[in-house]
Amino acid sequence: MSFVFSKENLERIEALKSRYPSPKALLLPCLWMAQYQEGYISLDAIEVIGEVIDMPPMELYRVATFYTMFNLEPVGKYHIQLCKTLSCALRGKAQILAQLSNRLGIKPGESSQDGKYTLSQVECLGSCGTAPVMQINDRYYENLTPEKIDTILESLEEES
Amino acid sequence: MSQTEVVIDDKRFVAKEGSLLIDLLIKHNLKVPYFCYHEALGADGNCRMCMVEIEGQKRPQIACDTLIKEGMVVRTKGENIESVRRNILELELINHPVDCPICDQAGECKLQDFYMDYGLYDSHIDQADKVHHQKHIDLGSNVMLDQERCVLCARCTRFTADITKTHELGIIGRGDHARVSTMPGKKLDNPYAMNVVDLCPVGALTSKDFRFSQRVWFLTSTPSVCHGCAKGCNIFIDHNREKYKDETIYRFRPRENQAVNGYFICDEGRLSYKALQENRQVERDRNGAVCSEAEALKAYCKTLEGAKGEIIVLADPNLYREELVAIEAYAAHIGASLYAPLEHYRDEDFADDWLKSSQRAANAKAVEILEIKTTLPVEKAGLLISFNHPDAAQIKAEKVISFQTHIGKDAYDLTLPLAVFSESAGTLVNEEGIEQYCPRAIKRNEPIPTVIEWLTQIEGGDK
Ligand code: SF4
Ligand code: SF4
Ligand code: FES
Ligand code: FES
């Protein structure tokens, strides 16, 4: 198995264990830790977590596939999640998507060749008042326009 | 728990307070549809098909999650509850491919039954709008999965989680995309895996071994008992005689018996029907040449008369008790010593702590009760008469007469065909001492004699 939890994560797991009557309660925190550590949750990670919290891998896998926020495949350094639900759709999500697709040269569900960007469409991000909205890694970008997309992507290019 | 009285559809029933309402309905054959509940798996409450009306409750309740209470008044019929059921069924079927004409479950499918009993609506959804999933996925262990036909009742996943505890199956994804699956790269792999085919109420899980071989409504089911080991699991032998063909067994299915096997059987036992129709001994063979029945009987008597020294009779410990008794009497009549050696049937690798027993001889207990010797005879015999015993070739004997069900690699002075258990009838005593009668299931176009039929002919010729 190639996945191992980092030292910090192991410490966090130990600390969390004392809070609950059963280690099984750590299912979701462990999946998050694995995802933050590697960028996605590999099958190896699922096996390892299964041992840590004493749960058959299948039970973990079911949970991991249930929540769309868990990535079961590797994603780019910047994971762009564009909201496709009603408010955003009515407020111009289609143009935003076209702009993103054109600039990055990828369709939703794909990653750029350099592995830097992954583009996905997701359900409501809970920020309808500032639609259209997208999330890049843990950050929200609101009231989007095609021009804003250009600026955001340029700043990401500079950052890296 | 105390007994209490409840009223269901205006009739009174006595039941244990706190027991499941659905169990009472099933026990008294009060029709209520259900997918996810199963006596062996318990209630899961996911399919919502088992709705009933309970007096004093605003909404219909699921019978599988309702505990019996004193004075409960339940309705399983009526316009209201029937329309609730119809709507739930329509929801279950919303993405169903309706491929009954090519589906192996047709004829024993709960979706079909419930649609005819409670559905009968016109579909609101266009075939083209349905969500599609993968069809014919080979899960392993002879089980095929069609994800589109699944109603997500979770019986199969609860079986692998709670009963075999092997956890191969799970429902992954959610909403329209929820489907049964194994972990990527993993297979369904346990010695009881094929039970999920019987558990699946629809055609989502089918047996690779059985599918496309018969329409189920052509099959005749004869109750019987598996001969795979001394557990004696109860089965149905499903068989059919197609035009111009011989009677053929197409599958074994588990038959409920709480005292023996519950609801399940092992895969090896389930597939053991094949051996009953492969490589069968059908000819009478005298010194390597085929002969008629009359010639065979003549040769038998001559060999018996000419026997010098001790006569040994071997009886297979898989034979029915009635057959063993007849052989015992016959052996005494001709002054032979009788053995039913068990050594061959010890198989520690086969055993587990559920059904499978390390004693592979189905009637070992009967042999013990009849006090037949179970060791392998070591002395040299003048004549050996074997009733299908696998160790016949190991006995040193001048002459050998072998009654056998299957063609073996050893040649004997006289080889005579013998009926297998499905072509005979009699009693098995399982390892716990439970007696179980098996009627004759198969009548071949050209019958092969059973032990008793042979002995009757031989003794008739004797006189
Ligand atoms: S495959 Fe069959 S048993 Fe399993 S969840 Fe689907 S319908 Fe139920
Ligand atoms: S456990 Fe034994 S008797 Fe039961 S099905 Fe398997 S082989 Fe047959
Ligand atoms: S619809 Fe886009 S954030 Fe709610
Ligand atoms: S049988 Fe009651 S909800 Fe499925």
Side-chain angles (χ1 to χ4, degrees):
Chain A
M1 265 183 260
S2 55
F3 178 88
V4 270
F5 270 122
S6 65
K7 202 167 146 274
E8 300 80 67
N9 278 338
L10 284 176
E11 280 164 11
R12 285 171 67 197
I13 290 169
E14 278 318 305
L16 282 171
K17 266 190 186 167
S18 61
R19 279 205 218 163
Y20 302 101
S22 155
K24 293 191 169 58
L26 268 56
L27 167 59
L28 289 174
C30 282
L31 287 172
W32 276 121
M33 280 182 236
Q35 173 150 318
Y36 274 109
Q37 190 181 311
E38 308 273 287
Y40 77 110
I41 300 166
S42 64
L43 290 175
D44 274 353
I46 285 182
E47 297 269 343
V48 169
I49 301 170
E51 280 163 28
V52 171
I53 67 169
D54 187 26
M55 199 184 257
M58 187 67 203
E59 307 301 313
L60 276 136
Y61 185 64
R62 287 167 52 182
V63 174
T65 56
F66 183 87
Y67 293 108
T68 52
M69 285 159 84
F70 288 131
N71 308 317
L72 298 176
E73 300 286 337
V75 289
K77 183 173 174 206
Y78 300 108
H79 186 195
I80 305 173
Q81 295 171 285
L82 175 64
C83 172
K84 64 171 180 182
T85 310
L86 189 65
S87 305
C88 295
L90 291 174
R91 300 257 303 152
K93 169 231 128 184
Q95 286 98 291
I96 306 295
L97 178 63
Q99 190 71 4
L100 283 166
S101 273
N102 281 341
R103 287 212 46 149
L104 299 171
I106 49 176
K107 292 202 281 292
E110 292 177 353
S111 297
S112 62
Q113 247 161 16
D114 55 7
K116 238 164 144 179
Y117 301 97
T118 299
L119 179 58
S120 341
Q121 295 199 83
V122 297
E123 300 298 345
C124 181
L125 287 172
S127 184
C128 315
T130 56
V133 179
M134 71 179 177
Q135 180 183 348
I136 302 181
N137 297 348
D138 282 341
R139 217 185 128 183
Y140 270 35
Y141 295 82
E142 298 156 294
N143 293 312
L144 294 172
T145 59
E147 296 70 45
K148 270 198 184 172
I149 294 294
D150 290 342
T151 336
I152 295 163
L153 290 182
E154 272 152 29
S155 73
L156 291 183
E157 277 302 312
E158 277 163 31
E159 198 177 292
S160 53
Chain B
M1 273 182 285
S2 58
Q3 298 288 320
T4 183
E5 223 176 61
V6 294
V7 177
I8 305 173
D9 297 334
D10 301 326
K11 278 205 211 82
R12 289 177 184 286
F13 294 91
V14 177
K16 261 205 203 106
E17 177 135 22
S19 62
L20 280 182
L21 175 59
I22 199 164
D23 282 335
L24 184 71
L25 296 172
I26 294 170
K27 185 172 151 206
H28 292 285
N29 240 333
L30 299 164
K31 250 172 76 185
V32 45
Y34 60 96
F35 291 116
C36 70
Y37 181 73
H38 188 280
E39 286 96 321
L41 304 171
D44 203 44
N46 69 52
C47 76
R48 318 310 287 181
M49 277 306 291
C50 63
M51 293 276 189
V52 294
E53 283 179 304
I54 297 170
E55 217 159 81
Q57 305 251 19
K58 259 198 237 129
R59 283 176 219 92
Q61 304 290 318
I62 51 174
C64 69
D65 197 29
T66 300
L67 303 181
I68 300 261
K69 271 210 231 56
E70 163 108 67
M72 205 175 225
V73 180
V74 181
R75 319 217 116 259
T76 72
K77 295 183 203 129
E79 217 171 282
N80 185 25
I81 194 72
E82 271 155 37
S83 93
V84 168
R85 262 178 216 155
R86 188 157 46 244
N87 292 335
I88 296 171
L89 185 66
E90 181 163 9
L91 204 63
E92 297 267 10
L93 275 161
I94 218 157
N95 285 316
H96 192 81
V98 201
D99 47 7
C100 312
I102 54 154
C103 176
D104 234 46
Q105 189 84 359
E108 51 182 10
C109 174
K110 288 283 180 276
L111 271 177
Q112 284 184 332
D113 295 352
F114 297 160
Y115 180 80
M116 295 316 285
D117 290 345
Y118 310 103
L120 294 177
Y121 54 80
D122 289 326
S123 181
H124 285 97
I125 190 157
D126 202 74
Q127 189 72 23
D129 293 337
K130 297 200 170 192
V131 176
H132 290 292
H133 288 304
Q134 262 180 288
K135 298 178 88 71
H136 45 79
I137 302 171
D138 191 339
L139 286 180
S141 297
N142 279 310
V143 179
M144 296 296 285
L145 166 66
D146 183 316
Q147 289 175 329
E148 295 186 337
R149 295 179 187 157
C150 172
V151 294
L152 298 172
C153 71
R155 279 186 179 187
C156 57
T157 66
R158 286 183 284 151
F159 180 77
T160 58
D162 303 339
I163 305 235
T164 60
K165 302 204 164 45
T166 44
H167 299 276
E168 297 102 325
L169 299 176
I171 293 175
I172 62 165
R174 64 164 141 169
D176 272 356
H177 300 287
R179 63 217 179 267
V180 167
S181 172
T182 52
M183 291 279 288
K186 295 270 166 62
K187 289 272 171 201
L188 174 62
D189 181 20
N190 72 69
Y192 296 91
M194 290 179 82
N195 287 299
V196 297
V197 172
D198 309 311
L199 283 173
C200 183
V202 300
L205 296 174
T206 50
S207 151
K208 207 173 165 183
D209 178 62
F210 173 73
R211 61 196 220 126
F212 310 138
S213 64
Q214 286 286 295
R215 276 311 196 179
V216 295
W217 51 86
F218 293 127
L219 295 174
T220 307
S221 296
T222 308
S224 188
V225 172
C226 174
H227 277 53
C229 76
K231 184 74 190 173
C233 295
N234 290 209
I235 55 167
F236 282 113
I237 299 181
D238 284 355
H239 51 100
N240 181 28
R241 185 199 309 271
E242 285 185 340
K243 217 170 178 182
Y244 312 123
K245 289 197 189 156
D246 210 343
E247 186 89 50
T248 305
I249 301 175
Y250 290 95
R251 63 177 179 184
F252 282 174
R253 273 183 309 128
R255 180 163 59 92
E256 185 197 339
N257 185 337
Q258 291 309 330
V260 183
N261 56 309
Y263 300 87
F264 305 112
I265 55 174
C266 76
D267 287 4
E268 195 165 327
R270 183 187 296 263
L271 295 174
S272 63
Y273 77 91
K274 290 187 189 179
L276 300 180
Q277 29 207 30
E278 277 164 11
N279 200 29
R280 288 292 302 279
Q281 176 83 34
V282 286
E283 303 289 3
R284 294 154 295 266
D285 182 317
R286 187 183 44 179
N287 295 323
V290 174
C291 66
S292 71
E293 191 160 294
E295 285 170 323
L297 281 171
K298 220 157 112 200
Y300 183 98
C301 295
K302 229 174 111 199
T303 315
L304 186 59
E305 271 160 32
K308 288 187 221 56
E310 201 196 348
I311 306 176
I312 290 178
V313 174
L314 282 190
D316 184 25
N318 277 300
L319 293 172
Y320 289 124
R321 184 173 61 192
E322 293 79 348
E323 298 175 325
L324 292 170
V325 168
I327 293 171
E328 199 172 32
Y330 177 69
H333 173 67
I334 60 172
S337 33
L338 172 63
Y339 295 85
L342 287 175
E343 191 42 43
H344 181 94
Y345 289 105
R346 274 258 150 242
D347 186 355
E348 300 300 337
D349 294 339
F350 180 74
D352 62 21
D353 53 9
W354 187 17
L355 298 177
K356 295 162 86 175
S357 162
S358 61
Q359 174 55 268
R360 301 295 300 268
N363 225 358
K365 192 79 183 178
V367 168
E368 191 187 298
I369 293 168
L370 292 170
E371 292 179 352
I372 298 170
K373 287 194 278 288
T374 57
T375 52
L376 202 61
V378 284
E379 62 272 31
K380 190 172 185 311
L383 171 63
L384 170 70
I385 305 174
S386 164
F387 290 91
N388 207 40
H389 201 285
D391 285 341
Q394 288 187 38
I395 313 279
K396 290 180 249 34
E398 242 152 76
K399 296 262 178 207
V400 180
I401 300 173
S402 171
F403 295 90
Q404 54 194 45
T405 55
H406 290 77
I407 296 172
K409 55 184 193 318
D410 301 292
Y412 300 113
D413 302 284
L414 187 59
T415 306
L416 300 167
L418 194 65
V420 290
F421 80 84
S422 53
E423 298 157 14
S424 180
T427 307
L428 287 185
V429 188
N430 89 344
E431 58 187 0
E432 281 119 40
I434 299 174
E435 297 184 12
Q436 315 196 82
Y437 183 76
C438 312
R440 178 185 287 209
I442 303 298
K443 296 189 179 69
R444 297 171 66 103
N445 291 346
E446 287 180 39
I448 294 175
T450 63
V451 167
I452 294 187
E453 284 160 359
W454 270 122
L455 289 178
T456 319
Q457 288 199 53
I458 289 163
E459 286 176 330
D462 231 17
K463 280 168 201 152

